[in-house]
Amino acid sequence: MSVAHTTVSTAVPLVGNKSSLKYGSLPAAKELAPSGSPVRMGLALGGGLARGIAHAGVLRVLEQHRIPIHCITGISAGAIVAAAYASGTAPEEMASAGCSMRFGDVGRLRLGRLGFADSKCMNRFLERLLKSYRFEQMRVPLGVLATDLTSGEPVTFAGSGSVFEPIRASCAIPGLFEPVRHNGRLLVDGVLSMGVPAALARQLGATHVISVPLPVGGPKAEPSNMLQVVNRCFQILQSRLENSWRSETDLVIAPDVSGVEWNAFGRGPELVEAGEAAAWASLPKIQEWFSHMRPAAEMVN
């Protein structure tokens, strides 16, 4: 099956932040701005390891059509792409890095008490990919979401501080990567508490939120190894969490990455094309948001 097939859907009308998640000191959610007010568009990127390369294709199309992004949030692989974009890395650079990367860029196999791989080497990859390394230095507001392994609560990062540990924590797939200890907490993949960080984009000031999940089809056969078991567990979990992030979303861009395994970095070009195709299909709806205020939107860029 080709990964370039596109699915796009809209969620329920925006009525403010209905999430029960706790976001620490982040500001209260903002309601949809009155007609004629500037659109502040937030982009929320889901996870999927290698499948995250599709996000670069989505961003490439949005940038080509001068769609202004007020803030960007990410979970797991989406956190890497979100941080890269917020720091000023061009979508073409992200696509190139994604297509050439391998698992060794983000993890080193090393059997430990809490995981099979150490993600500390990811710092070097991030140093090459990102233009800035701190939240306060980003050109657009950035939010990253991880999960507290002890409490099960979401842990959000935004505003200030280094992005390295938050991103590593957000990418720490249980059973594969060792959890990341940060400020006394043991943190793992943000997907465990929220499939797509749409509510976090709302908290950062977005009036319109575009969510980009990276769904995969159900298994064609029973898992044959431990990693396939973990992957299937995440598929089940994400399906259970879908309603929570959709309720915070105005538009869903869902690249067709069905059949692409979590470690299929060699299929990067296909994944970029899938992201581009999905974003192209969504453009009419996005441009409709800005149609009555195009001069103001153009000045943002």
Side-chain angles (χ1 to χ4, degrees), residues 57-133:
V58 172
L59 284 165
R60 176 185 284 175
V61 171
L62 296 181
E63 191 162 274
Q64 286 174 345
H65 288 79
R66 301 176 59 80
I67 303 298
I69 297 175
H70 169 79
C71 63
I72 188 166
T73 61
I75 286 177
S76 196
I80 296 177
V81 177
Y85 178 83
S87 75
T89 303
E92 288 74 17
E93 294 179 72
M94 298 179 216
S96 177
C99 291
S100 63
M101 75 181 296
R102 295 296 180 263
F103 180 78
D105 291 316
V106 295
R108 291 284 187 270
L109 292 177
R110 188 196 69 177
L111 183 59
R113 290 190 307 113
L114 302 178
F116 284 101
D118 186 338
S119 66
K120 290 180 181 177
C121 64
M122 189 185 299
N123 287 358
R124 291 193 295 274
F125 175 77
L126 294 173
E127 286 174 352
R128 296 193 302 269
L129 180 65
L130 274 57
K131 308 299 184 185
S132 302
Y133 307 140

Side-chain angles (χ1 to χ4, degrees), residues 134-238:
R134 298 184 62 81
F135 284 96
E136 64 267 28
Q137 295 172 342
M138 297 298 168
R139 66 188 184 100
V140 298
L142 168 68
V144 173
L145 190 145
T147 302
D148 187 317
L149 186 57
T150 302
S151 68
E153 291 294 317
V155 178
T156 59
F157 297 90
S160 63
S162 170
V163 301
F164 288 167
E165 283 193 340
I167 293 174
R168 286 179 49 226
S170 187
C171 293
I173 301 172
L176 177 59
F177 290 109
E178 292 183 348
V180 173
R181 191 171 295 279
H182 182 77
N183 290 341
R185 285 177 158 179
L186 201 59
L187 305 178
V188 293
D189 199 325
V191 170
L192 288 175
S193 52
M194 180 59 65
V196 180
L200 180 53
R202 195 77 69 194
Q203 296 284 347
L204 292 178
T207 59
H208 294 64
V209 175
I210 297 176
S211 288
V212 188
L214 300 173
V216 293
K220 296 180 175 62
E222 291 184 357
S224 60
N225 58 57
M226 185 187 69
L227 291 179
Q228 288 182 3
V229 170
V230 172
N231 186 54
R232 180 57 185 151
C233 288
F234 270 88
Q235 290 178 17
I236 295 170
L237 179 63
Q238 288 179 23

